[in-house]
Amino acid sequence: VFLINGSDGAALEATDRGLLYGDGLFETIAVINGDMPLWDRHIRRLQEGCRRLGFDCPGEDQLHQEAKSLVSDDSRCVLRIVVTRGSGGDAYRPPKATSPTRVLHRRSWGPRPESFWSQGIRVRLCDTRLAVGSPVAGLKHLNRLEQVLARREWDDPDIPEGLMLDDTGRVVEGTMTNLFVQRGKRLITPPVDRCGVAGVMRGMVMELAHEAGLELEQGRLTLNDLDNADGLFVTNAIIGIWPVRELDTTSYEITAETRRLQSLLSGIIGSRP
Amino acid sequence: VFLINGSDGAALEATDRGLLYGDGLFETIAVINGDMPLWDRHIRRLQEGCRRLGFDCPGEDQLHQEAKSLVSDDSRCVLRIVVTRGSGGDAYRPPKATSPTRVLHRRSWGPRPESFWSQGIRVRLCDTRLAVGSPVAGLKHLNRLEQVLARREWDDPDIPEGLMLDDTGRVVEGTMTNLFVQRGKRLITPPVDRCGVAGVMRGMVMELAHEAGLELEQGRLTLNDLDNADGLFVTNAIIGIWPVRELDTTSYEITAETRRLQSLLSGIIGSRP
Protein backbone atom coordinates (compact mmCIF):
# COMPACT_ATOMS: atom_id res chain seq x y z
CA VAL A 1 0.00 0.00 0.00
CA PHE A 2 1.42 3.33 -1.12
CA LEU A 3 0.91 7.00 -0.46
CA ILE A 4 2.78 9.19 -2.95
CA ASN A 5 2.76 12.87 -2.10
CA GLY A 6 -0.32 12.20 -0.02
CA SER A 7 -2.29 10.35 -2.69
CA ASP A 8 -3.01 6.68 -3.19
CA GLY A 9 -1.16 5.14 -6.09
CA ALA A 10 2.01 3.29 -6.81
CA ALA A 11 3.46 5.24 -9.71
CA LEU A 12 6.17 7.84 -9.83
CA GLU A 13 7.20 10.31 -12.52
CA ALA A 14 9.98 8.89 -14.66
CA THR A 15 11.72 12.28 -14.37
CA ASP A 16 12.06 11.97 -10.62
CA ARG A 17 15.65 12.54 -9.55
CA GLY A 18 15.28 9.65 -7.15
CA LEU A 19 15.20 7.38 -10.17
CA LEU A 20 17.64 9.32 -12.36
CA TYR A 21 20.40 9.76 -9.79
CA GLY A 22 19.34 8.11 -6.55
CA ASP A 23 18.95 11.71 -5.41
CA GLY A 24 17.13 11.06 -2.16
CA LEU A 25 16.92 9.21 1.14
CA PHE A 26 14.89 6.52 2.81
CA GLU A 27 13.88 5.21 6.20
CA THR A 28 12.68 1.72 7.05
CA ILE A 29 10.53 1.97 10.16
CA ALA A 30 9.22 -0.74 12.46
CA VAL A 31 5.53 -0.45 13.26
CA ILE A 32 4.46 -2.30 16.40
CA ASN A 33 0.85 -2.25 17.49
CA GLY A 34 0.33 0.73 15.20
CA ASP A 35 3.08 2.58 17.02
CA MET A 36 6.49 3.63 15.70
CA PRO A 37 8.76 3.65 18.75
CA LEU A 38 11.81 4.96 16.87
CA TRP A 39 9.93 7.56 14.83
CA ASP A 40 11.85 10.54 16.26
CA ARG A 41 15.21 9.00 15.41
CA HIS A 42 14.14 8.17 11.87
CA ILE A 43 12.83 11.69 11.26
CA ARG A 44 15.90 13.34 12.70
CA ARG A 45 18.11 11.26 10.44
CA LEU A 46 15.91 12.05 7.44
CA GLN A 47 16.10 15.77 8.22
CA GLU A 48 19.86 15.62 8.60
CA GLY A 49 20.11 13.78 5.28
CA CYS A 50 18.00 16.39 3.50
CA ARG A 51 20.17 19.10 5.01
CA ARG A 52 23.33 17.44 3.71
CA LEU A 53 21.85 16.83 0.26
CA GLY A 54 20.51 20.39 0.21
CA PHE A 55 16.76 20.19 -0.14
CA ASP A 56 13.81 20.82 2.15
CA CYS A 57 12.59 17.86 4.14
CA PRO A 58 8.84 17.35 4.07
CA GLY A 59 7.26 18.55 7.30
CA GLU A 60 7.40 16.13 10.19
CA ASP A 61 3.70 16.60 11.01
CA GLN A 62 2.71 15.84 7.45
CA LEU A 63 4.87 12.72 7.32
CA HIS A 64 3.56 11.56 10.66
CA GLN A 65 -0.05 12.09 9.66
CA GLU A 66 0.45 10.21 6.40
CA ALA A 67 2.35 7.45 8.17
CA LYS A 68 -0.40 7.01 10.75
CA SER A 69 -3.06 6.90 8.05
CA LEU A 70 -1.19 4.02 6.39
CA VAL A 71 -0.35 1.95 9.42
CA SER A 72 -2.95 2.71 12.07
CA ASP A 73 -4.74 -0.60 11.87
CA ASP A 74 -1.65 -2.76 11.67
CA SER A 75 -0.39 -4.57 14.67
CA ARG A 76 3.02 -5.14 13.09
CA CYS A 77 4.37 -4.01 9.74
CA VAL A 78 7.21 -2.13 8.10
CA LEU A 79 6.81 1.42 6.85
CA ARG A 80 9.23 2.60 4.23
CA ILE A 81 9.54 6.33 3.61
CA VAL A 82 11.42 7.53 0.53
CA VAL A 83 12.07 11.23 0.10
CA THR A 84 13.64 12.40 -3.15
CA ARG A 85 14.59 15.83 -4.46
CA GLY A 86 11.69 15.50 -6.93
CA SER A 87 11.90 16.40 -10.61
CA GLY A 88 13.64 19.27 -12.35
CA GLY A 89 17.02 20.88 -12.61
CA ASP A 90 19.48 20.61 -15.46
CA ALA A 91 20.86 17.06 -15.43
CA TYR A 92 22.95 16.60 -12.26
CA ARG A 93 22.38 20.21 -11.30
CA PRO A 94 19.44 20.37 -8.89
CA PRO A 95 16.63 22.88 -9.35
CA LYS A 96 16.82 25.91 -7.09
CA ALA A 97 13.28 25.54 -5.82
CA THR A 98 12.72 21.89 -5.03
CA SER A 99 9.47 20.10 -4.61
CA PRO A 100 10.52 16.86 -2.91
CA THR A 101 8.70 13.62 -3.58
CA ARG A 102 7.58 11.52 -0.64
CA VAL A 103 6.69 7.86 -1.04
CA LEU A 104 5.26 5.99 1.93
CA HIS A 105 4.97 2.26 1.52
CA ARG A 106 3.51 -0.17 4.03
CA ARG A 107 4.91 -3.66 3.83
CA SER A 108 4.27 -6.83 5.76
CA TRP A 109 6.58 -7.53 8.67
CA GLY A 110 7.91 -10.54 6.84
CA PRO A 111 8.87 -13.90 8.28
CA ARG A 112 12.07 -13.87 10.29
CA PRO A 113 12.88 -16.88 12.44
CA GLU A 114 12.64 -16.06 16.13
CA SER A 115 15.88 -18.02 16.50
CA PHE A 116 17.84 -15.24 14.77
CA TRP A 117 17.19 -13.10 17.83
CA SER A 118 17.36 -15.79 20.49
CA GLN A 119 20.06 -18.11 19.17
CA GLY A 120 22.01 -15.87 16.82
CA ILE A 121 22.81 -16.07 13.14
CA ARG A 122 25.40 -17.24 10.70
CA VAL A 123 27.04 -14.50 8.68
CA ARG A 124 29.51 -14.52 5.84
CA LEU A 125 32.16 -12.17 4.60
CA CYS A 126 31.29 -10.45 1.31
CA ASP A 127 33.75 -9.93 -1.53
CA THR A 128 32.09 -6.67 -2.57
CA ARG A 129 33.76 -3.77 -0.79
CA LEU A 130 32.58 -0.31 0.17
CA ALA A 131 34.26 2.66 -1.51
CA VAL A 132 36.03 4.99 0.89
CA GLY A 133 35.65 8.73 1.28
CA SER A 134 32.05 9.09 0.16
CA PRO A 135 30.65 12.61 0.52
CA VAL A 136 27.37 11.00 1.57
CA ALA A 137 28.87 8.57 4.11
CA GLY A 138 26.56 7.91 7.03
CA LEU A 139 23.38 8.80 5.16
CA LYS A 140 20.61 6.36 4.36
CA HIS A 141 20.56 7.54 0.75
CA LEU A 142 19.25 5.87 -2.38
CA ASN A 143 22.68 5.04 -3.87
CA ARG A 144 22.81 1.44 -2.75
CA LEU A 145 24.47 -0.54 -5.52
CA GLU A 146 27.25 -1.65 -3.17
CA GLN A 147 24.72 -3.33 -0.91
CA VAL A 148 22.82 -4.84 -3.84
CA LEU A 149 25.99 -6.38 -5.28
CA ALA A 150 27.09 -7.67 -1.88
CA ARG A 151 23.67 -9.23 -1.19
CA ARG A 152 23.77 -10.90 -4.60
CA GLU A 153 26.80 -12.93 -3.59
CA TRP A 154 24.98 -15.67 -1.72
CA ASP A 155 21.77 -17.58 -1.72
CA ASP A 156 21.74 -19.67 1.44
CA PRO A 157 18.60 -18.81 3.48
CA ASP A 158 20.40 -19.92 6.65
CA ILE A 159 22.81 -17.01 6.23
CA PRO A 160 20.72 -13.88 6.70
CA GLU A 161 23.55 -11.37 6.56
CA GLY A 162 27.00 -10.71 5.13
CA LEU A 163 29.68 -8.39 6.47
CA MET A 164 31.40 -5.86 4.23
CA LEU A 165 34.92 -4.51 4.29
CA ASP A 166 35.84 -1.13 2.90
CA ASP A 167 38.35 -0.70 0.13
CA THR A 168 41.20 -0.50 2.66
CA GLY A 169 40.23 -3.79 4.30
CA ARG A 170 38.51 -2.45 7.43
CA VAL A 171 35.31 -4.14 8.55
CA VAL A 172 32.44 -1.65 8.31
CA GLU A 173 28.97 -3.15 8.53
CA GLY A 174 26.56 -5.72 7.18
CA THR A 175 24.70 -5.31 3.91
CA MET A 176 21.58 -4.21 5.82
CA THR A 177 22.88 -3.92 9.38
CA ASN A 178 25.49 -2.22 11.52
CA LEU A 179 28.10 -4.27 13.32
CA PHE A 180 29.15 -4.27 16.98
CA VAL A 181 32.11 -6.15 18.38
CA GLN A 182 32.59 -6.90 22.07
CA ARG A 183 36.04 -7.38 23.56
CA GLY A 184 36.06 -7.66 27.34
CA LYS A 185 33.92 -4.79 28.54
CA ARG A 186 34.45 -2.72 25.40
CA LEU A 187 31.82 -2.50 22.70
CA ILE A 188 33.22 -1.29 19.39
CA THR A 189 31.37 -0.20 16.28
CA PRO A 190 33.07 1.22 13.17
CA PRO A 191 32.71 4.92 12.42
CA VAL A 192 30.57 5.79 9.40
CA ASP A 193 32.30 9.00 8.39
CA ARG A 194 34.06 7.52 5.33
CA CYS A 195 31.48 4.97 4.21
CA GLY A 196 28.59 3.07 5.76
CA VAL A 197 25.23 4.01 7.20
CA ALA A 198 24.52 5.60 10.57
CA GLY A 199 21.74 3.17 11.47
CA VAL A 200 18.93 4.26 13.76
CA MET A 201 19.32 1.06 15.79
CA ARG A 202 23.08 1.60 15.86
CA GLY A 203 22.46 4.95 17.55
CA MET A 204 20.03 3.36 20.00
CA VAL A 205 22.46 0.57 20.95
CA MET A 206 25.33 3.05 21.34
CA GLU A 207 23.24 4.87 23.92
CA LEU A 208 22.28 1.67 25.74
CA ALA A 209 25.80 0.26 25.92
CA HIS A 210 26.68 1.87 29.23
CA GLU A 211 23.53 0.55 30.88
CA ALA A 212 24.54 -2.93 29.72
CA GLY A 213 27.89 -2.57 31.46
CA LEU A 214 29.89 -1.83 28.33
CA GLU A 215 32.15 0.99 27.35
CA LEU A 216 31.15 2.18 23.88
CA GLU A 217 33.80 3.09 21.36
CA GLN A 218 33.75 4.00 17.67
CA GLY A 219 36.83 2.41 16.20
CA ARG A 220 38.16 0.97 13.00
CA LEU A 221 38.07 -2.83 12.97
CA THR A 222 40.13 -5.40 11.11
CA LEU A 223 39.31 -9.02 10.42
CA ASN A 224 41.83 -9.83 13.11
CA ASP A 225 39.76 -7.86 15.63
CA LEU A 226 36.80 -10.04 14.68
CA ASP A 227 38.82 -13.20 15.21
CA ASN A 228 39.71 -11.99 18.69
CA ALA A 229 36.27 -10.77 19.68
CA ASP A 230 34.32 -12.16 22.62
CA GLY A 231 31.10 -11.55 20.75
CA LEU A 232 29.57 -9.91 17.69
CA PHE A 233 26.12 -8.71 16.85
CA VAL A 234 24.41 -6.85 14.06
CA THR A 235 21.59 -4.32 14.33
CA ASN A 236 18.94 -2.57 12.33
CA ALA A 237 15.64 -0.86 12.98
CA ILE A 238 13.56 -3.87 11.98
CA ILE A 239 15.51 -6.80 13.39
CA GLY A 240 16.79 -5.08 16.52
CA ILE A 241 19.84 -7.09 17.60
CA TRP A 242 20.89 -10.37 16.05
CA PRO A 243 23.86 -12.00 17.79
CA VAL A 244 26.40 -13.52 15.43
CA ARG A 245 26.95 -17.19 16.19
CA GLU A 246 29.20 -17.93 13.25
CA LEU A 247 31.26 -15.85 10.83
CA ASP A 248 32.29 -18.22 8.07
CA THR A 249 34.22 -20.82 10.13
CA THR A 250 34.66 -18.80 13.34
CA SER A 251 32.18 -19.41 16.17
CA TYR A 252 31.07 -16.97 18.86
CA GLU A 253 29.27 -17.19 22.15
CA ILE A 254 26.38 -14.85 22.82
CA THR A 255 27.67 -12.69 25.65
CA ALA A 256 25.70 -11.77 28.74
CA GLU A 257 26.00 -8.12 27.70
CA THR A 258 24.42 -8.85 24.32
CA ARG A 259 21.52 -10.52 26.13
CA ARG A 260 21.28 -7.51 28.39
CA LEU A 261 21.16 -5.16 25.39
CA GLN A 262 18.42 -7.26 23.81
CA SER A 263 16.47 -7.12 27.01
CA LEU A 264 16.87 -3.34 27.33
CA LEU A 265 15.80 -2.98 23.73
CA SER A 266 12.70 -5.13 24.20
CA GLY A 267 11.57 -2.75 26.91
CA ILE A 268 11.70 0.12 24.44
CA ILE A 269 10.54 -1.38 21.18
CA GLY A 270 8.71 -4.51 22.24
CA SER A 271 9.88 -8.07 21.90
CA ARG A 272 11.35 -9.47 18.70
CA PRO A 273 11.10 -10.54 16.05
CA VAL B 1 8.45 12.16 -24.61
CA PHE B 2 8.76 8.79 -22.93
CA LEU B 3 8.57 5.13 -23.81
CA ILE B 4 8.48 2.89 -20.74
CA ASN B 5 8.78 -0.80 -21.50
CA GLY B 6 7.58 -0.02 -24.98
CA SER B 7 4.50 1.99 -23.98
CA ASP B 8 3.80 5.69 -23.95
CA GLY B 9 3.64 7.18 -20.51
CA ALA B 10 5.86 8.88 -17.99
CA ALA B 11 5.18 6.91 -14.83
CA LEU B 12 7.17 4.20 -13.18
CA GLU B 13 6.29 1.71 -10.44
CA ALA B 14 7.31 3.03 -7.04
CA THR B 15 8.71 -0.43 -6.29
CA ASP B 16 11.24 -0.21 -9.10
CA ARG B 17 14.73 -0.97 -7.84
CA GLY B 18 16.01 1.90 -9.93
CA LEU B 19 14.24 4.21 -7.52
CA LEU B 20 14.80 2.20 -4.34
CA TYR B 21 18.53 1.57 -4.76
CA GLY B 22 19.69 3.23 -7.97
CA ASP B 23 19.87 -0.37 -9.19
CA GLY B 24 20.37 0.32 -12.87
CA LEU B 25 22.25 2.12 -15.63
CA PHE B 26 21.75 4.88 -18.13
CA GLU B 27 23.00 6.18 -21.44
CA THR B 28 22.72 9.71 -22.79
CA ILE B 29 22.83 9.52 -26.56
CA ALA B 30 23.29 12.26 -29.14
CA VAL B 31 20.78 12.12 -32.00
CA ILE B 32 21.89 13.97 -35.12
CA ASN B 33 19.62 14.08 -38.15
CA GLY B 34 17.70 11.18 -36.66
CA ASP B 35 20.91 9.16 -36.51
CA MET B 36 22.80 7.98 -33.44
CA PRO B 37 26.44 7.78 -34.55
CA LEU B 38 27.71 6.36 -31.25
CA TRP B 39 24.85 3.88 -30.76
CA ASP B 40 27.10 0.80 -30.81
CA ARG B 41 29.37 2.18 -28.12
CA HIS B 42 26.44 3.11 -25.90
CA ILE B 43 24.86 -0.31 -26.23
CA ARG B 44 28.11 -2.14 -25.59
CA ARG B 45 28.64 -0.12 -22.42
CA LEU B 46 25.06 -0.77 -21.33
CA GLN B 47 25.48 -4.49 -21.91
CA GLU B 48 28.74 -4.54 -19.99
CA GLY B 49 27.05 -2.65 -17.14
CA CYS B 50 24.18 -5.14 -17.00
CA ARG B 51 26.68 -7.96 -16.96
CA ARG B 52 28.54 -6.44 -14.01
CA LEU B 53 25.32 -5.71 -12.10
CA GLY B 54 24.05 -9.19 -12.93
CA PHE B 55 20.83 -8.80 -14.87
CA ASP B 56 19.80 -9.33 -18.47
CA CYS B 57 20.15 -6.36 -20.73
CA PRO B 58 17.11 -5.66 -22.92
CA GLY B 59 17.72 -6.84 -26.46
CA GLU B 60 19.65 -4.48 -28.67
CA ASP B 61 17.15 -4.77 -31.52
CA GLN B 62 14.27 -3.92 -29.24
CA LEU B 63 16.09 -0.92 -27.80
CA HIS B 64 17.07 0.26 -31.26
CA GLN B 65 13.55 -0.06 -32.61
CA GLU B 66 12.12 1.84 -29.67
CA ALA B 67 14.82 4.48 -29.90
CA LYS B 68 14.16 5.00 -33.60
CA SER B 69 10.42 5.28 -33.02
CA LEU B 70 11.08 8.09 -30.53
CA VAL B 71 13.66 10.07 -32.44
CA SER B 72 13.13 9.37 -36.13
CA ASP B 73 11.73 12.77 -36.99
CA ASP B 74 14.18 14.77 -34.94
CA SER B 75 17.07 16.48 -36.57
CA ARG B 76 18.87 16.92 -33.28
CA CYS B 77 17.91 15.78 -29.81
CA VAL B 78 19.14 13.80 -26.83
CA LEU B 79 17.91 10.30 -26.09
CA ARG B 80 18.23 9.05 -22.57
CA ILE B 81 17.93 5.32 -21.95
CA VAL B 82 17.56 4.08 -18.38
CA VAL B 83 17.64 0.35 -17.71
CA THR B 84 16.92 -0.84 -14.18
CA ARG B 85 16.75 -4.28 -12.61
CA GLY B 86 12.97 -3.78 -12.34
CA SER B 87 10.89 -4.63 -9.27
CA GLY B 88 11.14 -7.55 -6.89
CA GLY B 89 13.62 -9.32 -4.69
CA ASP B 90 13.92 -9.12 -0.93
CA ALA B 91 15.21 -5.65 -0.08
CA TYR B 92 18.79 -5.35 -1.38
CA ARG B 93 18.72 -8.93 -2.56
CA PRO B 94 17.80 -8.99 -6.24
CA PRO B 95 15.15 -11.34 -7.59
CA LYS B 96 16.49 -14.41 -9.34
CA ALA B 97 14.42 -13.88 -12.45
CA THR B 98 14.60 -10.24 -13.36
CA SER B 99 12.33 -8.29 -15.60
CA PRO B 100 14.35 -5.15 -16.30
CA THR B 101 12.63 -1.81 -16.78
CA ARG B 102 13.57 0.31 -19.79
CA VAL B 103 12.81 4.00 -19.94
CA LEU B 104 13.52 5.89 -23.15
CA HIS B 105 13.22 9.63 -22.94
CA ARG B 106 13.64 12.09 -25.79
CA ARG B 107 14.81 15.51 -24.72
CA SER B 108 15.61 18.67 -26.61
CA TRP B 109 19.22 19.19 -27.57
CA GLY B 110 19.37 22.17 -25.27
CA PRO B 111 21.13 25.46 -25.79
CA ARG B 112 24.90 25.26 -25.53
CA PRO B 113 26.97 28.18 -26.73
CA GLU B 114 28.93 27.31 -29.86
CA SER B 115 31.85 29.12 -28.20
CA PHE B 116 32.26 26.30 -25.67
CA TRP B 117 33.45 24.13 -28.55
CA SER B 118 35.28 26.76 -30.54
CA GLN B 119 36.80 28.97 -27.83
CA GLY B 120 36.84 26.67 -24.83
CA ILE B 121 35.31 26.89 -21.39
CA ARG B 122 36.02 27.98 -17.88
CA VAL B 123 35.99 25.18 -15.31
CA ARG B 124 36.29 25.15 -11.56
CA LEU B 125 37.56 22.68 -9.02
CA CYS B 126 34.82 21.06 -6.92
CA ASP B 127 35.10 20.47 -3.19
CA THR B 128 32.99 17.31 -3.39
CA ARG B 129 35.24 14.31 -3.88
CA LEU B 130 34.71 10.89 -5.39
CA ALA B 131 34.92 7.89 -3.09
CA VAL B 132 37.65 5.42 -4.00
CA GLY B 133 37.39 1.71 -4.60
CA SER B 134 33.82 1.53 -5.84
CA PRO B 135 32.74 -1.92 -7.01
CA VAL B 136 30.81 -0.16 -9.77
CA ALA B 137 33.64 2.14 -10.90
CA GLY B 138 33.55 2.87 -14.60
CA LEU B 139 29.85 2.15 -15.01
CA LYS B 140 27.27 4.73 -15.97
CA HIS B 141 25.03 3.60 -13.12
CA LEU B 142 22.20 5.40 -11.36
CA ASN B 143 24.10 6.09 -8.10
CA ARG B 144 25.05 9.66 -8.87
CA LEU B 145 24.83 11.60 -5.62
CA GLU B 146 28.51 12.55 -5.84
CA GLN B 147 27.89 14.30 -9.14
CA VAL B 148 24.71 15.96 -7.89
CA LEU B 149 26.47 17.35 -4.83
CA ALA B 150 29.42 18.54 -6.89
CA ARG B 151 27.18 20.25 -9.46
CA ARG B 152 25.31 21.96 -6.62
CA GLU B 153 28.43 23.83 -5.60
CA TRP B 154 28.21 26.62 -8.16
CA ASP B 155 25.72 28.69 -10.03
CA ASP B 156 27.68 30.73 -12.58
CA PRO B 157 26.34 29.98 -16.10
CA ASP B 158 29.71 30.95 -17.54
CA ILE B 159 31.26 27.95 -15.82
CA PRO B 160 29.71 24.91 -17.49
CA GLU B 161 31.77 22.27 -15.74
CA GLY B 162 33.66 21.47 -12.54
CA LEU B 163 36.49 19.00 -12.06
CA MET B 164 36.44 16.43 -9.29
CA LEU B 165 39.24 14.91 -7.26
CA ASP B 166 38.98 11.52 -5.65
CA ASP B 167 39.33 11.01 -1.93
CA THR B 168 43.11 10.63 -2.28
CA GLY B 169 43.48 13.94 -4.11
CA ARG B 170 43.88 12.61 -7.66
CA VAL B 171 42.06 14.45 -10.45
CA VAL B 172 39.50 12.10 -12.00
CA GLU B 173 36.90 13.77 -14.21
CA GLY B 174 34.29 16.48 -14.52
CA THR B 175 30.83 16.21 -13.01
CA MET B 176 29.41 15.23 -16.42
CA THR B 177 32.56 14.81 -18.51
CA ASN B 178 35.86 12.95 -18.70
CA LEU B 179 39.11 14.86 -18.56
CA PHE B 180 42.12 14.74 -20.89
CA VAL B 181 45.44 16.45 -20.22
CA GLN B 182 48.03 17.12 -22.88
CA ARG B 183 51.72 17.40 -22.02
CA GLY B 184 53.98 17.64 -25.04
CA LYS B 185 52.83 14.84 -27.32
CA ARG B 186 51.30 12.80 -24.52
CA LEU B 187 47.58 12.76 -23.93
CA ILE B 188 46.68 11.53 -20.44
CA THR B 189 43.29 10.58 -19.07
CA PRO B 190 42.75 9.14 -15.59
CA PRO B 191 41.84 5.47 -15.25
CA VAL B 192 38.28 4.75 -14.10
CA ASP B 193 38.92 1.47 -12.32
CA ARG B 194 38.59 2.91 -8.78
CA CYS B 195 35.98 5.61 -9.37
CA GLY B 196 34.66 7.62 -12.30
CA VAL B 197 32.78 6.82 -15.48
CA ALA B 198 34.12 5.21 -18.64
CA GLY B 199 32.56 7.76 -20.97
CA VAL B 200 31.61 6.77 -24.50
CA MET B 201 33.28 9.90 -25.86
CA ARG B 202 36.32 9.19 -23.69
CA GLY B 203 36.66 5.85 -25.47
CA MET B 204 36.24 7.52 -28.86
CA VAL B 205 38.89 10.17 -28.13
CA MET B 206 41.29 7.56 -26.78
CA GLU B 207 41.06 5.79 -30.14
CA LEU B 208 41.54 9.00 -32.11
CA ALA B 209 44.54 10.24 -30.13
CA HIS B 210 47.12 8.54 -32.29
CA GLU B 211 45.64 9.99 -35.47
CA ALA B 212 45.93 13.44 -33.89
CA GLY B 213 49.64 12.89 -33.30
CA LEU B 214 49.35 12.10 -29.61
CA GLU B 215 50.44 9.18 -27.51
CA LEU B 216 47.52 8.10 -25.34
CA GLU B 217 48.11 7.11 -21.75
CA GLN B 218 45.83 6.25 -18.86
CA GLY B 219 47.51 7.72 -15.82
CA ARG B 220 46.75 9.14 -12.42
CA LEU B 221 46.84 12.94 -12.38
CA THR B 222 47.51 15.44 -9.62
CA LEU B 223 46.61 19.11 -9.51
CA ASN B 224 50.28 19.74 -10.15
CA ASP B 225 50.01 17.85 -13.43
CA LEU B 226 47.18 20.18 -14.39
CA ASP B 227 49.28 23.24 -13.57
CA ASN B 228 52.00 21.93 -15.85
CA ALA B 229 49.75 20.85 -18.71
CA ASP B 230 50.00 22.29 -22.21
CA GLY B 231 46.29 21.87 -22.66
CA LEU B 232 43.17 20.35 -21.12
CA PHE B 233 39.84 19.33 -22.50
CA VAL B 234 36.70 17.59 -21.33
CA THR B 235 34.47 15.21 -23.25
CA ASN B 236 31.07 13.62 -23.24
CA ALA B 237 28.73 12.05 -25.76
CA ILE B 238 26.62 15.17 -26.14
CA ILE B 239 29.16 17.98 -26.07
CA GLY B 240 31.97 16.17 -27.86
CA ILE B 241 35.16 18.00 -26.87
CA TRP B 242 35.23 21.25 -24.95
CA PRO B 243 38.72 22.70 -24.58
CA VAL B 244 39.43 24.14 -21.14
CA ARG B 245 40.51 27.77 -21.36
CA GLU B 246 40.61 28.43 -17.65
CA LEU B 247 40.72 26.30 -14.52
CA ASP B 248 40.02 28.66 -11.65
CA THR B 249 42.91 31.13 -12.11
CA THR B 250 45.08 29.04 -14.47
CA SER B 251 44.81 29.72 -18.20
CA TYR B 252 45.41 27.31 -21.05
CA GLU B 253 45.91 27.55 -24.76
CA ILE B 254 43.90 25.36 -27.07
CA THR B 255 46.50 23.08 -28.60
CA ALA B 256 46.71 22.21 -32.27
CA GLU B 257 46.16 18.58 -31.31
CA THR B 258 42.91 19.42 -29.52
CA ARG B 259 41.75 21.21 -32.68
CA ARG B 260 42.75 18.17 -34.69
CA LEU B 261 40.76 15.88 -32.39
CA GLN B 262 37.71 18.14 -32.71
CA SER B 263 38.05 18.04 -36.44
CA LEU B 264 38.37 14.24 -36.52
CA LEU B 265 35.36 13.99 -34.28
CA SER B 266 33.25 16.28 -36.46
CA GLY B 267 33.86 13.91 -39.33
CA ILE B 268 32.34 11.08 -37.33
CA ILE B 269 29.54 12.68 -35.37
CA GLY B 270 28.86 15.89 -37.28
CA SER B 271 29.75 19.40 -36.23
CA ARG B 272 29.13 20.72 -32.76
CA PRO B 273 27.40 21.89 -30.72
Side-chain angles (χ1 to χ4, degrees), chain A residues 21 23 26 28 34 52 54 74 83 92 98 106 111 132 138 144 149 159 179-180 203 206 210 214 216 220-221 237:
Chain A
Y21 310 122
D23 193 1
F26 70 107
T28 307
R52 278 178 61 189
D74 278 85
V83 174
Y92 294 134
T98 54
R106 187 185 67 205
V132 171
R144 299 263 77 107
L149 291 187
I159 302 181
L179 173 70
F180 288 81
M206 288 168 76
H210 186 73
L214 293 168
L216 190 277
R220 305 202 182 267
L221 292 171

Side-chain angles (χ1 to χ4, degrees), chain A residues 10 12 14 93 132 155 167 194, chain B residues 10 12 14 93 132 155 167 194:
Chain A
L12 204 78
R93 185 182 186 185
V132 171
D155 219 27
D167 181 59
R194 308 269 295 145
Chain B
L12 203 79
R93 186 183 186 183
V132 171
D155 219 27
D167 181 60
R194 309 269 294 144

Side-chain angles (χ1 to χ4, degrees), chain A residues 80 142-145 148, chain B residues 17-23 91-92 143:
Chain A
R80 190 186 160 102
L142 298 173
N143 283 196
R144 299 263 77 107
L145 273 172
V148 170
Chain B
R17 297 175 63 93
L19 171 71
L20 299 183
Y21 310 123
D23 193 2
Y92 294 134
N143 282 197

Side-chain angles (χ1 to χ4, degrees), chain B residues 205-221:
Chain B
V205 167
M206 288 169 75
E207 289 175 25
L208 292 172
H210 185 73
E211 204 175 336
L214 293 168
E215 193 178 333
L216 190 277
E217 193 179 306
Q218 288 193 59
R220 306 204 180 265
L221 292 172

Side-chain angles (χ1 to χ4, degrees), chain A residues 2 4 10-24 26 52-55 80 82 84-85 90 92-94 96 103 105 107 128-136 140-149 151-152 154-156 167 175-176 194, chain B residues 2 4 10-24 26 52-55 80 82 84-85 90 92-94 96 103 105 107 128-136 140-149 151-152 154-156 167 175-176 194:
Chain A
F2 288 90
I4 301 187
L12 204 78
E13 286 178 39
T15 53
D16 196 282
R17 297 175 63 93
L19 171 72
L20 299 182
Y21 310 122
D23 193 1
F26 70 107
R52 278 178 61 189
L53 297 188
F55 61 90
R80 190 186 160 102
V82 177
T84 80
R85 204 188 300 265
D90 179 14
Y92 294 134
R93 185 182 186 185
K96 275 176 203 175
V103 179
H105 180 198
R107 298 192 317 216
T128 305
R129 295 200 176 188
L130 298 164
V132 171
S134 167
V136 288
K140 189 102 178 161
H141 54 68
L142 298 173
N143 283 196
R144 299 263 77 107
L145 273 172
E146 293 174 328
Q147 284 72 29
V148 170
L149 291 187
R151 191 57 192 83
R152 244 190 109 236
W154 83 97
D155 219 27
D156 183 343
D167 181 59
T175 64
M176 60 168 190
R194 308 269 295 145
Chain B
F2 288 89
I4 301 188
L12 203 79
E13 285 178 40
T15 53
D16 196 281
R17 297 175 63 93
L19 171 71
L20 299 183
Y21 310 123
D23 193 2
F26 70 107
R52 279 179 59 189
L53 297 189
F55 62 89
R80 189 185 161 103
V82 177
T84 80
R85 202 188 301 265
D90 179 14
Y92 294 134
R93 186 183 186 183
K96 276 177 203 175
V103 179
H105 179 200
R107 298 191 320 213
T128 304
R129 295 200 176 188
L130 298 165
V132 171
S134 167
V136 288
K140 189 103 176 158
H141 55 68
L142 297 173
N143 282 197
R144 299 263 77 108
L145 273 172
E146 293 174 328
Q147 284 72 30
V148 170
L149 291 187
R151 190 57 191 81
R152 245 191 108 234
W154 83 97
D155 219 27
D156 184 344
D167 181 60
T175 64
M176 59 168 190
R194 309 269 294 144

Side-chain angles (χ1 to χ4, degrees), chain A residues 115-229:
Chain A
S115 64
F116 287 178
W117 169 278
S118 59
Q119 293 165 47
I121 60 168
R122 289 172 59 199
V123 303
R124 67 187 291 283
L125 199 63
C126 295
D127 293 324
T128 305
R129 295 200 176 188
L130 298 164
V132 171
S134 167
V136 288
L139 300 186
K140 189 102 178 161
H141 54 68
L142 298 173
N143 283 196
R144 299 263 77 107
L145 273 172
E146 293 174 328
Q147 284 72 29
V148 170
L149 291 187
R151 191 57 192 83
R152 244 190 109 236
E153 291 181 21
W154 83 97
D155 219 27
D156 183 343
D158 290 336
I159 302 181
E161 182 57 308
L163 300 185
M164 298 183 73
L165 309 182
D166 71 19
D167 181 59
T168 71
R170 301 295 179 127
V171 188
V172 180
E173 61 189 8
T175 64
M176 60 168 190
T177 60
N178 288 110
L179 173 70
F180 288 81
V181 170
Q182 186 179 342
R183 183 95 196 262
K185 294 295 176 191
R186 288 161 61 217
L187 185 66
I188 307 157
T189 192
V192 291
D193 56 337
R194 308 269 295 145
C195 58
V197 175
V200 155
M201 188 57 72
R202 174 179 179 270
M204 183 96 233
V205 167
M206 288 168 76
E207 289 174 25
L208 292 173
H210 186 73
E211 203 175 336
L214 293 168
E215 194 178 333
L216 190 277
E217 193 179 307
Q218 288 193 59
R220 305 202 182 267
L221 292 171
T222 62
L223 284 174
N224 196 44
D225 293 323
L226 263 50
D227 279 343
N228 297 320

